[in-house]
Amino acid sequence: MDDLFLKIIQGEIPSEKIYEDDKTFAFLDINPNNPGHTLVVPKKYSRNILDIAEEDWIALMETVHKLAPSVKDAVGATGVNIYMNNESSAFQEVFHTHVHIIPRHDNDGYRPWSGTPYQEGEMEKIGETIRARIV
Ligand code: 5GP
């Protein structure tokens, strides 16, 4: 399998590295939403949130938590989005688990997604269906 982010972790493809520990690696996104946009990846391969092992996910979140304030402050941002795409339908393009840290500025032009209210009774039905599947 051609794993682009593994090649970045291993230095086969150059990146602007931000941080590394035994389980995670972070580097600047090559096509940032805003300057400082950082990707945090687990060193152990998983495809996305749907198959990552719990311990790898916890390590990933610890690194996101560690880096987010530095990413934000380094570019004088006023906020930060923590963002993740999982599968093509959710805009995932690189299939090695990664979390985006995106610095945000007042009036930087990005707008939140709009929502659609539930129909009568629909929310309770979906809530029950989700609860029944939790393992
Ligand atoms: P996704 O849509 O899968 O959540 O995001 C993949 C991200 O990887 C994109 O934001 C894209 O700009 C970034 N990316 C793709 N190829 C490279 C690369 O070769 N180097 C770096 N640093 N980022 C990349």
Side-chain angles (χ1 to χ4, degrees):
M1 189 194 133
D2 197 33
D3 183 348
L4 173 66
F5 288 170
L6 182 61
K7 289 180 179 165
I8 287 178
I9 293 165
Q10 293 176 337
E12 289 173 40
I13 293 176
S15 72
E16 187 61 34
K17 178 174 145 183
I18 296 296
Y19 175 81
E20 179 176 15
D21 60 27
D22 58 336
K23 290 205 164 95
T24 65
F25 190 95
F27 55 100
L28 293 185
D29 193 299
I30 204 168
N31 189 25
N33 293 119
N34 279 323
H37 181 162
T38 297
L39 300 175
V40 187
V41 308
K43 288 185 172 176
K44 184 173 161 208
Y45 176 77
S46 55
R47 181 176 169 91
N48 56 39
I49 185 71
L50 300 172
D51 70 341
I52 189 170
E54 186 176 4
E55 69 170 295
D56 297 328
W57 177 252
I58 289 168
L60 194 65
M61 289 300 99
E62 284 174 347
T63 299
V64 170
H65 181 249
K66 182 191 286 284
L67 300 186
S70 300
V71 170
K72 171 185 158 291
D73 294 344
V75 295
T78 50
V80 65
N81 283 117
I82 304 301
Y83 179 72
M84 187 180 191
N85 299 321
N86 300 279
E87 299 299 334
S88 301
S89 56
F91 312 136
Q92 186 175 9
E93 293 182 349
V94 178
F95 293 94
H96 179 130
T97 300
H98 56 281
V99 171
H100 298 251
I101 304 175
I102 304 174
R104 295 298 306 276
H105 305 267
D106 295 329
N107 305 313
D108 64 9
Y110 294 112
R111 300 184 60 78
W113 293 346
S114 58
T116 307
Y118 284 109
Q119 302 290 317
E120 179 75 27
E122 190 185 7
M123 186 165 72
E124 294 79 2
K125 195 173 160 195
I126 291 176
E128 179 56 34
T129 307
I130 294 170
R131 283 190 294 275
R133 286 174 174 267
I134 297 172
V135 289

